[in-house]
Amino acid sequence: MQSAWIGDALAAALARDSKEGLARQLTRQLRQWIGEGRLAAETRLPASRDLARQLAIGRNTVIDAYEQLLAEGYLETRHGSGTYVCALFKRQTPAAPEPMAALGLSGRGGELSALTRRDDDYNGAFVPCIPEIRDFPHRQWQQLLARHQRQARLLDFNYQAGGGLPALRQALADYLRMARAVRCHPDQILITQGTQHSLTLCALLLADPGDAAWMEEPGYLGARVAMQMAGLRTVPAPIDEQGLNPAQVADPTPPRLIYATPSYQYPLGVTMPLARRLALIEYARQANAWIIEDDYDSEFRYNSQPLPALQGLSEDARVIYLGTLSKVMYPGLRTGYIVVPEGLVDDFRAANARLHPEGHYPLQSALAEFIGNGQFARHIRRMRDLYQERQHCLRAALVHTEASEWTWSSGHAGMHVLATLPPRLDETRLSQQAAKEGIWLSTLGKHYQAPPDRQGLVIGYAGVAEADIVRGVRVMDRLARAQH
Ligand SMILES: Cc1ncc(COP(=O)(O)O)c(C=O)c1O
């Protein structure tokens, strides 16, 4: 029990009409709580004057109780700083609990746990998809945040149900129309806590349990988790050199949802060309399916203009566009958005406000200014240059290593590259050994739902300083050579 709560707990425990005097009750109650461990060793007790005032009893009553417990060794005083529970009452290690009866996770809970309990680490070389958070303009951002927090209206502190602050929805709509050729007006934008949240909403609102959802194979685990936990049947949709290929899906059931990362397929790193984009939209139209376009890192392209988003190419609005600020700003911001087709906006907004009540309007207001005043675009340009340099550094470090003989994806965009390993190497062993040296080599295998047809490593370089890239490559090379 924290000392701040002691007065409240005592107020509830004291029986004013009891024959037992108040000092005795206080003594007994405190003694009992100390013995049970509810009042932990070294907890500071309230000053006698404060406790007496809080309990509306005489100060001497409190002093009598404290002195009694001091004499019994339950309490101790520290010169000049007050009365404490005696350090000797350090918590004993509790006895091992009885084995739990069969009450535990549900079947779905067990499935979710199996999918998500991985030893993921989000720091260092070469964790995929982490931006360089050290180079974010933290000082300007803090100032902006502080100002918007100060200027917040009283209403901004209440529950919200508008789908996000209008100014932020406006700023994002302007950005998406210009930079990504997305067709949208601000009312179609729903602010979320990131793509993971957006995916869950789409799965719940656009498909029923048992419906087929095509998932890129290999693909983003977060998307598969969202679909499976909404009860959908995830169907692997193989990726070829142009991205998701409807002709290669073995399962004949028409899907209700098709999840795709056409700008820079995660994790293979291929970009879907225009003809395939149009073919996928046409396929979705005929199958009466929704396409969920996860445009997670399209801002980072190094030698070409981005292709227009699928959403902008679809005449009949069957693409749901998901964006995130996790990569272009920082993941801890937990802000993303969905561009919802016009006819569904009210349903999405209402469901979201009930499932994930909105808030953070002062932060959204700061974000709207950050985007509107050009800082956002400037930061993206700086990061694009930095990530390109880092990819050069990675490729330079690979020269004369064993890894230079592996097949590397083009890296023309994004924040990671894929290394396809020759069959003689074991991706899991490589990754486990590297982890012991603080290097994170994400195996390609864990991005598959069905058994993988190749081995590889997904190498994130964007958030890794050059010295760490060089060291990481050295470790990877040594471990790969040792596997011969
Ligand atoms: C393909 C893909 N989509 C989405 C995300 C995450 O987005 P958010 O942080 O907004 O949930 C990631 C993160 O790594 C990703 O790789």
Side-chain angles (χ1 to χ4, degrees), residues 207-378:
D208 287 312
D211 280 350
W214 281 7
M215 305 306 297
E216 293 180 322
E217 175 88 335
Y220 178 49
L221 178 68
R224 181 147 59 87
V225 171
M227 302 300 159
Q228 289 183 347
M229 288 307 109
L232 311 194
R233 190 168 61 80
T234 53
V235 174
I239 302 299
D240 64 18
E241 63 290 346
Q242 301 197 344
L244 192 153
N245 186 352
Q248 285 183 13
V249 178
D251 190 301
T253 323
R256 182 70 207 201
L257 300 182
I258 301 174
Y259 167 82
T261 51
S263 292
Y264 190 65
Q265 202 275 333
Y266 186 78
L268 297 187
V270 296
T271 295
M272 189 180 283
L274 193 60
R276 176 67 65 81
R277 287 176 191 239
L278 296 171
L280 184 60
I281 290 169
E282 179 54 24
Y283 175 85
R285 203 178 61 73
Q286 284 176 17
N288 205 21
W290 290 105
I291 298 176
I292 314 269
E293 178 177 21
D294 178 358
D295 207 21
Y296 66 110
D297 70 354
S298 62
E299 288 84 356
F300 302 119
R301 296 191 67 83
Y302 305 119
N303 42 26
S304 56
Q305 285 301 310
L307 286 167
L310 279 179
Q311 196 269 7
L313 294 169
S314 163
E315 301 278 337
D316 59 350
R318 58 179 55 257
V319 180
I320 315 284
Y321 180 91
L322 311 187
T324 178
L325 299 180
S326 290
K327 316 297 165 184
V328 281
M329 290 183 70
Y330 55 91
L333 187 62
R334 300 317 308 147
T335 304
Y337 45 90
I338 312 181
V339 180
V340 183
E342 269 175 280
L344 298 178
V345 173
D346 290 341
D347 303 296
F348 264 72
R349 209 185 283 139
N352 184 56
R354 177 54 61 198
L355 290 171
H356 308 275
E358 295 173 34
H360 307 299
Y361 272 27
L363 176 123
Q364 294 189 10
S365 179
L367 265 174
E369 183 173 335
F370 189 77
I371 296 171
N373 71 11
Q375 278 179 292
F376 181 64
R378 216 163 26 250

Side-chain angles (χ1 to χ4, degrees), residues 42-84:
E42 302 187 351
T43 304
R44 186 172 192 269
L45 293 190
S48 55
R49 187 190 311 273
D50 296 342
L51 186 59
R53 192 177 312 123
Q54 189 176 358
L55 298 177
I57 59 180
R59 187 174 171 209
N60 281 341
T61 309
V62 178
I63 292 175
D64 285 352
Y66 280 11
E67 283 185 347
Q68 179 61 33
L69 291 168
L70 280 164
E72 293 177 16
Y74 282 87
L75 300 181
E76 60 190 9
T77 50
R78 296 195 192 155
H79 188 65
S81 83
T83 307
Y84 290 79

